[in-house]
Amino acid sequence: MELRDRWSSRTAFVLAAIGSAIGLGNIWRFPYICYANGGGAFLVAWLVALFTAGIPLMILEFGLGHKMQGSASEAFYKTNKKFEWFGWMAILVGFFIVCYYAVIMSYCFNYAYFSVTEAWGENTAEFFNTTVGLTKGPLTMGGIKGFIFLGLVLSWIFIVLSVWKGAKTVSKVVYATVLIPWFLLIVFVIRGVTLPGAVDGLIFYLKPEFAKLLKPGVWLAAYTQVFFSLSVGFGIMIAYSSFLPKKSDLVNNAFIISMANCGTSFLGGFAIFGALGYYANLLGKPVADVVAAGPGLTFVTYPHIISNLPFWQPLFGVLFFIMLLTLAVDSAFSLLEAVASGVRDKWKVSHRTANLSVGTIALLLGVPLTFGAGYLWLDIVDNFMNKFGISIICMGECILIGWIYGSGRIREYVNSLSEFSVGKWWDFFIRFVVPIVLFFLVLMEILDRIKSSYGGFPRLAEFLGGWLFVILLPILGLILMFIKRKEK
Amino acid sequence: MPLSAILMMIITAVILYGGIIICVRIAIKKNRSSMDDRPT
């Protein structure tokens, strides 16, 4: 009897995986990274990274999840019982990420509301600090911000309802959560590139500096961007592919999903740099002086740009934050689904029990981030989970599957199902290229952290918000492995 | 806008969006019965 969740269609699966991969990083990170690493020349390194690391890793996760018919923990358990803890580690990285991701969604909820009246006024930086109640340092917690907390609760209701019956519900929800932000992104691209001065911004975004391709840092930035934007390393793609029917293409889907994710990032750059060019023109400053990334771009610079648009400012404001919310929600619920499916696979609980219990724990862990210092803690956890958590998981996947389980077994499996095959080049990338690049990424990050603490934060805060979580990953993974599983 | 920037923009767009179109066309052509849009 068929018990496992199944996608309602191939389109639903592809959209769900694209929705998971596309997130806030496509809009607020990629354009800036591109500009800072050689503009158009960076695109060369980025495309090479996509085809030599991103897509091979995506195929690996799809092959593993589909072959083993289980979430990350279950899939690794089925390859070798001793590897289960590693699967839980991947799930835990996603779990820690969703705890703070929901807080960023709460910011978006609040800003969508503020957009109606352009409540941020002229000093958008000051307004953001007041909204999140920013304290002078992470060790000064400050008070809870009621509206951020309310937004967090709303975000979690939104996330949990989206995965209420697992893949069955997600199959319906993704048509809205992927197609709406794509449509809105196109609106913002058209709006951005038709603003006066937009060309200056686009030149900044795309003007190639080919000499930068000789710098290893640019290549590392390209690989980092690809690893962090494809939603590999959290167990999501393993869980999602396990919901595919037995006869399902894996390779072609991996190509479509990875290229759609990167295509969205590339398009996002036009919306962002078009608007930045206009903003620089308005202020009479060079684009370099107004360029921004991350929350600074979204909650400080962009609101100012919205207020200075020629017409329909509140409408564009609301649409911009709805776009961010819909971009974020499918990444968030895919993270929840990756955790919940791990819980369901091991302890055979219902969707409702798994979703509500995981969602409630994540909500409670997110509450401290709604305090004044929450934004600073969020920044630290985000950096460590991205730079160490995902890198270590992806590297471990390549070693465990590429070297111990046998990459050839996964390659033969995916080729037997797919519309076109991958050759032995795939094994080479999985066994050598990806782990070596990731090893250097982790090593460079460790050296950076030895030289100075992240963001200049106190070492104690860096340890509590960063290193502690990294240390907890294998410990919690082992604990979860040793908790007795429930057999059918 | 410099010609080199326009060229890079076009090449990237062709690789990414052209790649998606080719993959989708392959999927349609193969039209695997278990993978079409009928509920499973």
Side-chain angles (χ1 to χ4, degrees), chain A residues 144-450:
Chain A
I144 191 166
K145 298 303 284 184
F147 281 100
I148 302 292
F149 175 74
L150 188 66
L152 179 67
V153 174
L154 273 176
S155 301
W156 271 110
I157 292 172
F158 198 7
I159 296 166
V160 171
L161 287 179
S162 302
V163 290
W164 192 243
K165 288 182 181 172
K168 200 186 288 179
T169 316
V170 175
S171 292
K172 293 173 187 157
V173 172
V174 287
Y175 284 92
T177 57
V178 176
L179 300 181
I180 290 174
W182 266 346
F183 170 75
L184 291 176
L185 184 60
I186 291 167
V187 170
F188 278 95
V189 169
I190 295 169
R191 176 67 285 194
V193 299
T194 52
L195 285 166
V199 176
D200 294 338
L202 297 182
I203 290 172
F204 230 76
Y205 172 40
L206 293 170
K207 189 181 166 194
E209 294 175 59
F210 288 108
K212 282 202 172 179
L213 285 178
L214 297 173
K215 292 185 178 177
V218 170
W219 288 90
L220 281 178
Y223 276 91
T224 310
Q225 176 60 29
V226 166
F227 287 131
F228 300 156
S229 76
L230 284 179
S231 281
V232 285
F234 316 125
I236 296 171
M237 296 306 171
I238 298 175
Y240 270 15
S241 62
S242 74
F243 303 142
L244 279 168
K246 275 284 176 194
K247 286 183 182 175
S248 297
D249 171 274
L250 299 173
V251 176
N252 198 3
N253 282 342
F255 272 83
I256 294 172
I257 292 157
S258 306
M259 287 190 290
N261 170 64
C262 291
T264 307
S265 297
F266 181 58
L267 199 62
F270 289 86
I272 296 301
F273 272 87
L276 286 175
Y278 165 71
Y279 188 49
N281 193 276
L282 198 77
L283 300 179
K285 289 180 176 177
V287 182
D289 287 0
V290 297
V291 77
L297 169 75
T298 313
F299 301 115
V300 178
T301 308
Y302 216 87
H304 209 188
I305 295 172
I306 289 166
S307 293
N308 287 290
L309 286 175
F311 54 87
W312 295 351
Q313 298 92 340
L315 176 69
F316 279 110
V318 173
L319 290 180
F320 179 73
F321 288 104
I322 286 177
M323 178 180 78
L324 293 184
L325 260 177
T326 46
L327 276 175
V329 73
D330 34 22
S331 303
F333 68 61
S334 66
L335 289 164
L336 173 64
E337 182 56 25
V339 186
S341 61
V343 171
R344 290 200 306 268
D345 284 346
K346 178 145 185 171
W347 294 292
K348 311 289 179 281
V349 294
S350 66
H351 282 106
R352 189 179 302 183
T353 309
N355 292 336
L356 283 176
S357 51
V358 175
T360 307
I361 296 168
L363 166 66
L364 292 175
L365 286 175
V367 171
L369 302 178
T370 62
F371 281 66
Y375 176 69
L376 304 173
W377 285 107
L378 185 157
D379 188 19
I380 300 171
V381 181
D382 176 54
N383 179 70
F384 275 76
M385 280 302 108
N386 275 302
K387 298 281 174 68
F388 291 105
I390 299 173
S391 305
I392 291 168
I393 298 298
C394 290
M395 196 163 43
E397 277 180 0
C398 290
I399 293 166
L400 293 180
I401 302 301
W403 289 92
I404 300 174
Y405 180 75
S407 53
R409 290 164 76 181
I410 294 288
R411 175 168 47 80
E412 282 164 19
Y413 179 76
V414 297
N415 283 345
S416 70
L417 294 166
S418 299
E419 287 155 359
F420 58 87
S421 306
V422 287
K424 286 192 176 170
W425 57 266
W426 181 79
D427 299 51
F428 174 73
F429 289 132
I430 289 297
R431 296 179 67 177
F432 297 99
V433 177
V434 181
I436 289 171
V437 172
L438 282 167
F439 174 77
F440 277 107
L441 282 178
V442 172
L443 186 69
M444 285 179 73
E445 191 60 23
I446 290 173
L447 292 174
D448 274 354
R449 294 291 67 82
I450 290 169

